[in-house]
Amino acid sequence: MNPFHSTLLPPAATTLSAKGLRVATYNIHKGVRGMGPTKRLEIHNLGLAVEALDADIVCLQEVRSFNHQEARKFSVTQFGHGCWPDKPQADYLAPEGYDVAYRTNATTKHGEHGNALLSRWPIGSIGHHDVSDHRFEQRGLLHVPVQWNGIEVHVVVLHLGLIHSSRVRQTSRVAKLVAEHLPPDAPVVVAGDFNDWNEALDHILIDAGLTRARTLMAERVPTYPSRVPVLALDRVYTRGLQCQSILVPRGTAWARLSDHLPLVAEFELA
């Protein structure tokens, strides 16, 4: 039994025959938690968590394709079946039957990491846009068209920088992508970790025709830090879709997996 199902929400309405679109965004912290001798591998539990989200589209940040140092630390010899997966994290986390899109944002000494999209629906050509603003942070946008119920939905997955001025410029790049390069009549989803602790980016995306996912009952949904969430860093913005519900799963099990909690939103065509 998946222990995360009972802590999330009722059975999903977003099966292949349903009209609603369920979108989740989740910063998975590279699949590990802790530091030094207390560092632990959470990627296996994250696989159960992603399955429990039961989302049509899962937008992931801080995803590793490989890391030689972590693979050695969590070796098969020491950890057995609980070792570092023998496939890229996006492929490992994808529920059975899901399409996977991944592109690297940052290259480090022992590996790399980037953004990923897992989709219950067929995907098209995968695009990547480098929005690195300075040499100390490598950032990118993952752009993937998803064929949902015969409708092409353009999904942009992002993880913005730690400096406010960088985030402003990166968000302006997102707005330009949406306004100038995506089909004007196509629904759009922009999701990810905005690192926008002072809530200063909404107006840039609103000017590009995007609406932040919220409801009257949940206008601001904090996701960070996972143990005591106070900041709404993880968000979804859309064009051509109307938010029906939004939630963040809570509880000790979810708090262990990453420093962020996932955000889950349900949409219908506007």
Side-chain angles (χ1 to χ4, degrees), residues 51-185:
E51 179 187 31
L53 297 175
D54 199 19
D56 294 290
I57 296 170
V58 183
C59 303
L60 300 175
Q61 304 85 50
E62 292 195 22
V63 183
R64 288 201 187 281
S65 178
F66 70 93
N67 185 277
H68 300 306
Q69 185 179 54
E70 301 285 23
R72 287 193 299 268
K73 178 178 178 63
F74 299 105
S75 65
V76 176
T77 301
Q78 185 174 356
F79 291 90
H81 293 299
C83 69
W84 190 262
D86 61 358
K87 61 175 68 174
Q89 288 184 344
D91 295 282
Y92 181 80
L93 293 174
E96 184 176 358
Y98 277 55
D99 282 354
V100 176
Y102 172 83
R103 288 293 183 269
T104 297
N105 289 339
T107 302
T108 59
K109 180 178 180 180
H110 299 288
E112 52 73 79
H113 61 271
N115 298 325
L117 178 141
L118 316 178
S119 175
R120 176 180 278 145
W121 300 84
I123 65 174
S125 299
I126 302 168
H128 181 260
H129 305 269
D130 186 351
V131 293
S132 302
D133 193 62
H134 51 84
R135 65 188 182 92
F136 299 107
E137 287 187 298
Q138 302 170 66
R139 304 286 177 173
L141 309 176
L142 178 68
H143 168 219
V144 185
V146 176
Q147 297 296 326
W148 168 60
N149 276 330
I151 301 167
E152 186 172 73
V153 179
H154 286 260
V155 184
V156 179
V157 187
L158 56 76
H159 185 188
L160 300 186
L162 298 174
I163 300 171
H164 171 68
S165 57
S166 294
R167 292 194 296 271
V168 170
R169 287 187 285 271
Q170 289 162 351
T171 305
S172 296
R173 293 280 300 277
V174 176
K176 183 175 182 179
L177 172 66
V178 171
E180 298 181 10
H181 299 284
L182 300 187
D185 297 328

Side-chain angles (χ1 to χ4, degrees), residues 141-268:
L141 309 176
L142 178 68
H143 168 219
V144 185
V146 176
Q147 297 296 326
W148 168 60
N149 276 330
I151 301 167
E152 186 172 73
V153 179
H154 286 260
V155 184
V156 179
V157 187
L158 56 76
H159 185 188
L160 300 186
L162 298 174
I163 300 171
H164 171 68
S165 57
S166 294
R167 292 194 296 271
V168 170
R169 287 187 285 271
Q170 289 162 351
T171 305
S172 296
R173 293 280 300 277
V174 176
K176 183 175 182 179
L177 172 66
V178 171
E180 298 181 10
H181 299 284
L182 300 187
D185 297 328
V188 175
V189 173
V190 177
D193 177 359
F194 284 77
N195 269 321
D196 182 28
W197 58 270
N198 56 354
E199 303 271 348
L201 300 176
D202 278 3
H203 70 283
I204 301 174
L205 296 172
I206 289 171
D207 288 346
L210 294 161
T211 301
R212 184 167 167 179
R214 52 178 29 129
T215 67
L216 292 177
M217 300 297 293
E219 292 194 357
R220 181 182 176 279
V221 188
T223 56
Y224 181 88
S226 57
R227 294 193 181 278
V228 186
V230 293
L231 298 175
L233 301 187
D234 304 278
R235 305 175 190 166
V236 180
Y237 295 80
T238 63
R239 184 185 74 188
L241 296 165
Q242 184 172 354
C243 184
Q244 302 298 308
S245 67
I246 190 166
L247 63 87
V248 172
R250 300 286 295 273
T252 303
W254 289 97
R256 279 182 52 87
L257 301 181
S258 171
D259 55 344
H260 290 246
L261 294 171
L263 180 142
V264 186
E266 298 262 8
F267 299 94
E268 292 183 0

Side-chain angles (χ1 to χ4, degrees), residues 2 4 8 26 44-54 254 257:
N2 189 330
F4 296 96
L8 186 59
Y26 198 2
H44 304 288
N45 289 327
L46 282 162
L48 297 174
V50 168
E51 179 187 31
L53 297 175
D54 199 19
W254 289 97
L257 301 181

